[in-house]
Amino acid sequence: MEYLKKTEFTGCHQGMRYRLEQTQDPENPEGGKKLMVTVWPEPFNYFNTPEEKKKRAYFSFDEDGVVDAVGWMNDRLFEDKKIWEEAPSHWDTYQM
């Protein structure tokens, strides 16, 4: 949690890239912090990937929220398996 208070955490697994970061609660901007998780297909980083290719979810900004976020990412990994498997074959089709 201390790491996420300072910066975002990014990574990739089997064609799915992900990013966890602290953000304001979108439903209560003046309230507490939330953990925002974003997943998207390879090959590009967060900033160079079109928004329509990203999926997001929000969780509580605590240890339980991290556990829930990992569960959500695992669900995306298996439910959207075809997207992640096909990601490398689309590298040259992205428009920059």
Side-chain angles (χ1 to χ4, degrees):
M1 293 308 303
E2 292 304 313
Y3 183 86
L4 288 171
K5 289 179 183 177
K6 296 177 183 178
T7 190
E8 67 280 343
F9 179 79
T10 61
C12 63
H13 184 68
Q14 297 180 355
M16 180 183 81
R17 295 201 178 205
Y18 56 87
R19 175 180 165 125
L20 291 83
E21 63 187 296
Q22 176 179 263
T23 188
Q24 289 296 119
D25 184 343
E27 295 177 5
N28 184 12
E30 296 176 14
K33 304 289 184 187
K34 287 287 189 179
L35 176 63
M36 181 174 73
V37 181
T38 308
V39 297
W40 67 96
E42 290 182 339
F44 299 117
N45 68 22
Y46 179 82
F47 299 104
N48 291 327
T49 299
E51 285 297 315
E52 63 270 9
K53 296 217 179 262
K54 298 175 186 174
K55 293 183 180 181
R56 289 192 175 87
Y58 296 88
F59 303 92
S60 60
F61 193 76
D62 55 21
E63 298 289 335
D64 290 337
V66 172
V67 171
D68 292 342
V70 170
W72 181 81
M73 289 190 298
N74 283 330
D75 288 346
R76 301 290 69 72
L77 184 63
F78 293 106
E79 290 176 14
D80 298 332
K81 187 175 183 176
K82 187 172 182 172
I83 294 171
W84 317 130
E85 288 177 342
E86 293 177 354
S89 67
H90 296 289
W91 284 35
D92 59 350
T93 63
Y94 284 86
Q95 298 295 319
M96 297 294 289

